[in-house]
Every structure is written in structure tokens, then in C-alpha cells.
Amino acid sequence: MMKNKRVELVKGDITSLEVDAIVNAANSSLLGGGGVDGAIHKAAGPELYKECEGLKGCATGEAKITRGYGLKAKHVIHTVGPVWYGGYRDEHVTLASCYQASLSIAKKNKIKTIAFPGISTGVYGFPKDLAALIAVNESNRFLKKNAYPEKVIFVAYDDESYETYRKLLDQ
Ligand code: AR6
């Protein structure tokens, strides 16, 4: 369906994917929360929480990796997106950094397939269309320069997000 074979779009729950790594939209404590973070911790089980405790948090715009435990995914890459303040705090730069940091960790760990939810587009309030544009641009930029990851999968949780990504990827 997509012209670029290294980028894919799927709709649904990221915790069900059998990939090398799923990305978590975490907060800086890395100790869980609601949204996709809550779903990932619930599916992975208490061992994920234990490993996260040892990481001592993560700065906004950065990323850290753990194992996947009860998930089908082998690893979880936890990144902390920016809270949207109307665009006045360079949120777009920080969000781009989340994608670059996550993809760099994937490369370091020779991860072949990585799946991203819409970082910051839930509780953190980042506009979904702008976030999807950043996600696609940063991923394409990284893939052009690197052999790993081999494939990036964008996971749209609802129809609206799916359409937003589809339009960006179809061109
Ligand atoms: N699979 C894929 N996408 C999902 C899933 C799922 N199971 N569940 C939600 N989404 P959010 P944020 C989508 O709020 O905005 C947490 O409490 C959702 O529709 O999970 O980065 C953390 O601990 C939305 O498009 O993350 C932080 O405190 C996207 O995932 C804070 O929320 C992200 O929504 C992070 O906020």
C-alpha cells in the first residue's frame, strides 16, 4: 500500500504488536501513568516497572530502552514527549528529538522493527496533524542515513490519526 517499504501504518493497540521494539509515550519518572504508558505497563507486567525504577527517570526529548517482558515486543523504548504549550516553547523541536533519540537507540541495539504511537498527542495535548508530520519527517530523515531500524511502523489509535498519517505517507 505504502510506496516506502521501510515505513508502515497500522491501526490499533500498540501493545499487541510483535516487533523488536515499541515506543512508549512516558513521563520523566518512567514509572508509568495513563494512556499508552498505562497500557504498556499493564501488558508487560511488574518486571517492566522494576527495570524502569533502575533507570532513574528520563529527560524530556530523550529516550531509554528496556526489555518487553510480558509484551510480544522484545523491547520498549521509553521517550518523554513535550507538553504542548501552544507552540511557544519549541515543542516541535523537542518532539523531533524524541523521534531521533528513539531511532538512535534502535540503531544502537540493531532493532529491525520499531513501532511508534503518537508521542505527546494524548494527555500532553500536541496537535495530532503537526505531531504526525514531525513523526514522518524525522523517521524518513533517519532511515535515509541508517540501515537500522529496517522498518518504522506508525500506530494510529483512532480513525482520525490513521487518516492523518495516511495522507502524509501516500504522497
Ligand atoms: N496503542 C496505541 N496508541 C495509543 C494507545 C494504545 N494502546 N493508547 C493510547 N494511544 P498518551 P502523551 C494513543 O496520553 O500525550 C501518560 O500518563 C493516544 O490516542 O498516552 O505523550 C504518561 O505517563 C494518543 O494519540 O501520551 C505521561 O504522563 C497517543 O497514544 C503522559 O500520559 C499518546 O497519548 C504522556 O502523554
Side-chain angles (χ1 to χ4, degrees):
M1 184 175 65
M2 301 299 163
K3 282 170 200 158
N4 180 353
K5 280 185 297 198
R6 290 179 72 191
V7 175
E8 218 177 88
L9 173 61
V10 303
K11 210 196 131 195
D13 182 357
I14 201 166
T15 63
S16 68
L17 297 185
E18 210 171 323
V19 290
D20 287 340
I22 60 172
V23 177
N24 183 16
N27 60 67
S28 55
S29 77
L30 296 186
L31 297 179
V36 71
D37 194 4
I40 287 172
H41 273 274
K42 191 176 170 200
E47 286 170 303
L48 177 62
Y49 183 89
K50 266 188 221 147
E51 186 176 352
C52 284
E53 266 186 322
L55 296 176
K56 306 289 175 208
C58 179
T60 304
E62 292 179 7
K64 291 189 178 178
I65 191 168
T66 64
R67 290 171 58 194
Y69 301 101
L71 291 161
K72 285 180 190 154
K74 289 191 200 86
H75 297 93
V76 180
I77 295 173
H78 307 260
T79 189
V80 183
V83 174
W84 178 256
Y85 286 103
Y88 294 102
R89 299 194 187 178
D90 286 343
E91 295 94 322
H92 62 293
V93 177
T94 311
L95 187 62
S97 165
C98 288
Y99 283 91
Q100 291 296 328
S102 301
L103 291 164
S104 295
I105 286 188
K107 179 188 174 183
K108 250 178 240 156
N109 289 273
K110 292 222 156 50
I111 276 162
K112 289 185 180 166
T113 49
I114 180 172
F116 282 97
I119 309 295
S120 286
T121 63
V123 182
Y124 281 1
F126 206 109
K128 288 197 178 204
D129 48 355
L130 180 53
L133 182 64
I134 292 167
V136 170
N137 280 347
E138 295 305 317
S139 299
N140 281 336
R141 208 151 65 85
F142 194 93
L143 290 176
K144 248 182 230 166
K145 292 187 291 195
N146 299 284
Y148 284 94
E150 290 175 354
K151 187 179 274 189
V152 171
I153 300 164
F154 297 114
V155 184
Y157 200 48
D158 53 68
D159 291 328
E160 195 196 340
S161 307
Y162 187 90
E163 268 312 293
T164 304
Y165 278 106
R166 196 191 59 72
K167 281 177 194 158
L168 288 169
L169 296 170
D170 249 11
Q171 44 196 340

